[in-house]
Amino acid sequence: MQELIRKLLVDLGEDPAREGLRDTPKRVEKAYRFLTSGYNADIDQVLNNALFTVDYSEMVIVKDIDFYSLCEHHLLPFFGKCHVAYIPSTKVIGLSKIPRVVDVFARRLQVQERLTNQIADTIRDKVAPLGVAVVMEATHLCMSMRGVEKQNSFAVTSAMQGSFRNNARTRMEFLELIKLRSAVPGPRDSAAARYECVGED
Ligand SMILES: [Zn+2]
């Protein structure tokens, strides 16, 4: 990877031998390895004995989870807040594990919608709850830095499953509790998608 970064610097019109850039290929490789470390993460290892059997069926919410990801179309960051809720059936997951699950999928090349779905699907598969909801609000640097539709560079995506999809009251309760900075699309509404980086340019 370091040789590729050196070539990239030359292609950008830079001199990779100048002092400030000499160690850049090494640093960039290290940064990218970290930012894509989710590819090597094993979700079962991350959850490692953090599932507990309980007699509890109220909504569990972890909100304002900071996340940082890379847009797969431009390899530029998108980042923001993730809110996760589920209603346990027989199992709960250790609360500290939920941000870890978010990181496993955020630290890959992503589009915001797939990232949102992967987090929800993982909780559905591992916890088997009555319902799960994930909402992500993010700023996409590939849009804001390039001046593309600045006003829409803040994108909201949601994945609602089970009782969050079927029961409007459950969904409203969740949305009220996370108090979004902007409107969230309904469960079958993909309106948010058009505000995201869609890789056209
Ligand atoms: Zn992009």
Side-chain angles (χ1 to χ4, degrees), residues 71 73-74 142 197:
C71 137
H73 302 128
H74 300 93
C142 62
C197 155

Side-chain angles (χ1 to χ4, degrees), residues 4-201:
L4 291 172
I5 302 299
R6 232 167 266 122
K7 283 182 186 154
L8 175 67
L9 289 170
V10 171
D11 204 64
L12 292 172
E14 268 291 357
D15 170 15
R18 77 174 168 84
E19 198 186 347
L21 293 178
R22 219 171 289 152
D23 289 329
T24 295
K26 204 195 298 177
R27 283 189 292 256
V28 172
E29 173 169 23
K30 198 174 169 206
Y32 271 110
R33 295 283 179 219
F34 175 76
L35 297 175
T36 60
S37 57
Y39 289 119
N40 301 318
D42 176 348
I43 202 76
D44 290 315
Q45 214 171 323
V46 168
L47 297 181
N48 165 39
N49 302 326
L51 291 169
F52 308 101
T53 303
V54 288
D55 185 16
Y56 181 81
S57 58
E58 298 299 318
M59 191 183 297
V60 177
I61 297 190
V62 181
K63 63 179 208 168
D64 294 326
I65 302 166
D66 288 313
F67 75 92
Y68 297 86
S69 190
L70 287 173
C71 137
E72 69 181 18
H73 302 128
H74 300 93
L75 304 189
L76 286 172
F78 68 96
F79 56 92
K81 302 278 186 195
C82 177
H83 315 287
V84 176
Y86 68 95
I87 298 176
S89 166
T90 57
K91 280 185 287 186
V92 293
I93 180 176
L95 288 180
S96 67
K97 296 294 182 180
I98 290 179
R100 301 281 312 278
V101 170
V102 173
D103 280 343
V104 164
F105 294 104
R107 288 178 187 160
R108 300 177 185 198
L109 304 186
Q110 281 287 8
V111 295
Q112 190 179 329
E113 287 218 324
R114 186 175 64 226
L115 173 57
T116 307
N117 285 329
Q118 285 175 333
I119 296 164
D121 291 349
T122 299
I123 291 170
R124 178 199 63 204
D125 295 346
K126 300 299 176 185
V127 188
L130 298 175
V132 57
V134 177
V135 169
M136 303 189 91
E137 317 170 72
T139 298
H140 290 246
L141 289 190
C142 62
M143 295 179 77
S144 44
M145 282 182 82
R146 297 186 309 142
V148 183
E149 294 190 64
K150 266 203 169 80
Q151 69 280 14
N152 290 329
S153 61
F154 185 80
V156 182
T157 48
S158 68
M160 305 276 176
Q161 301 185 4
S163 44
F164 288 89
R165 178 181 283 273
N166 305 327
N167 187 327
R169 247 169 69 188
T170 303
R171 191 162 63 242
M172 289 315 296
E173 185 188 341
F174 167 61
L175 294 175
E176 181 61 29
L177 284 164
I178 63 172
K179 291 239 186 298
L180 283 183
R181 281 177 286 174
S182 56
V184 67
R188 286 179 190 282
D189 184 355
S190 61
R194 69 169 177 265
Y195 299 130
E196 285 190 64
C197 155
V198 288
E200 284 166 352
D201 48 11

